[in-house]
Amino acid sequence: DAGITQSPRHKVTETGTPVTLRCHQTENHRYMYWYRQDPGHGLRLIHYSYGVKDTDKGEVSDGYSVSRSKTEDFLLTLESATSSQTSVYFCATTGASGASSTDTQYFGPGTRLTVL
Amino acid sequence: GDSVTQMEGPVTLSEEAFLTINCTYTATGYPSLFWYVQYPGEGLQLLLKATKADDKGSNKGFEATYRKETTSFHLEKGSVQVSDSAVYFCALSDPNTGNQFYFGTGTSLTVIP
């Protein structure tokens, strides 16, 4: 399995506060992704990165921003958290060969975020 | 747009029963198809995959065949164990959409002794 860690693993915050989630990988994978998992919706793509400083929006990007200043780190920021952003957030990476439709995505353990 | 539809859960089976979880897909190109498994409190792990029509993916007794004519990728296992209790996700990756992944909503499986 790819070495993917996420921090924090659990966080409780209040509406209107900024929150940053971190994803760290040790596999030198080029592509990194942020998803949110909600009951009845499966996983939905928030943002992804195809290289350092190269990012793009996913299906549910409103209210989120990302940054990638190093290959190994991909940060997800909620500028002003809302209760609708209560969810479990997963980071994923795709292998070093670059994005091919046959590439497997490897997932981190997830961050459970609760916005009160 | 691309999408994946999988059978609603939860599914409850007795140990050694036969498992089928249905998955159908819609894609603009020729996608690769995947089954992922998620155990409680963990991230998703790849279970198996198939990259072209008529391929069969298999792992840990699970199998799925890529059926282009029916746009399906049903997951099967002949004899489930308690340790198979988890949530199963069908997914596709489509080269026509920048190889983004599209996931089904997940099917929860509970196997009782």
Side-chain angles (χ1 to χ4, degrees):
Chain A
D1 288 341
I4 304 172
T5 56
Q6 294 184 230
S7 59
R9 293 292 313 279
H10 302 271
K11 185 169 182 66
V12 180
T13 190
E14 294 188 350
T15 297
T17 60
V19 176
T20 295
L21 308 182
R22 179 180 184 243
C23 177
H24 180 78
Q25 56 120 342
T26 60
E27 302 296 320
N28 198 36
H29 287 177
R30 178 182 172 188
Y31 288 76
M32 299 184 74
Y33 307 81
W34 277 108
Y35 293 91
R36 58 178 290 174
Q37 182 180 29
D38 304 289
H41 291 277
L43 275 78
R44 292 180 291 174
L45 181 65
I46 304 171
H47 282 280
Y48 66 100
S49 170
Y50 46 96
V52 173
K53 299 193 189 311
D54 292 324
T55 65
D56 207 347
K57 296 179 180 180
E59 177 189 358
V60 291
S61 59
D62 287 349
Y64 302 94
S65 62
V66 290
S67 66
R68 190 162 178 210
S69 58
K70 298 185 290 184
T71 297
E72 56 266 35
D73 290 325
F74 192 32
L75 303 180
L76 176 71
T77 297
L78 291 66
E79 301 290 348
S80 177
T82 68
S83 58
S84 64
Q85 294 175 312
T86 292
S87 186
V88 180
Y89 291 85
F90 287 98
C91 175
T93 72
T94 295
S97 65
S100 161
S101 66
T102 63
D103 283 345
T104 298
Q105 285 200 357
Y106 299 94
F107 284 81
T111 295
R112 183 173 295 276
L113 175 67
T114 302
V115 183
L116 302 175
Chain B
D2 289 16
S3 66
V4 174
T5 302
Q6 61 182 103
M7 65 184 283
E8 295 281 336
V11 174
T12 301
L13 295 174
S14 296
E15 206 165 21
E16 299 183 2
F18 184 86
L19 169 70
T20 299
I21 300 178
N22 290 337
C23 171
T24 57
Y25 68 89
T26 301
T28 56
Y30 296 92
S32 294
L33 302 174
F34 304 78
W35 276 102
Y36 280 83
V37 59
Q38 183 180 33
Y39 299 102
E42 298 184 8
L44 280 69
Q45 304 172 24
L46 178 69
L47 181 59
L48 54 84
K49 72 178 186 182
T51 59
K52 60 182 185 297
D54 299 323
D55 271 1
K56 178 186 285 188
S58 61
N59 186 26
K60 300 180 182 179
F62 291 89
E63 295 182 340
T65 301
Y66 189 141
R67 300 286 188 200
K68 191 172 186 299
E69 64 275 14
T70 54
T71 61
S72 65
F73 193 55
H74 305 320
L75 183 67
E76 297 182 334
K77 186 175 186 182
S79 177
V80 294
Q81 305 300 312
V82 172
S83 57
D84 294 327
S85 297
V87 180
Y88 293 81
F89 290 90
C90 186
L92 71 82
S93 174
D94 186 345
N96 279 18
T97 58
N99 300 312
Q100 286 192 28
F101 269 61
Y102 299 86
F103 289 86
T105 54
T107 302
S108 175
L109 170 67
T110 300
V111 180
I112 55 178

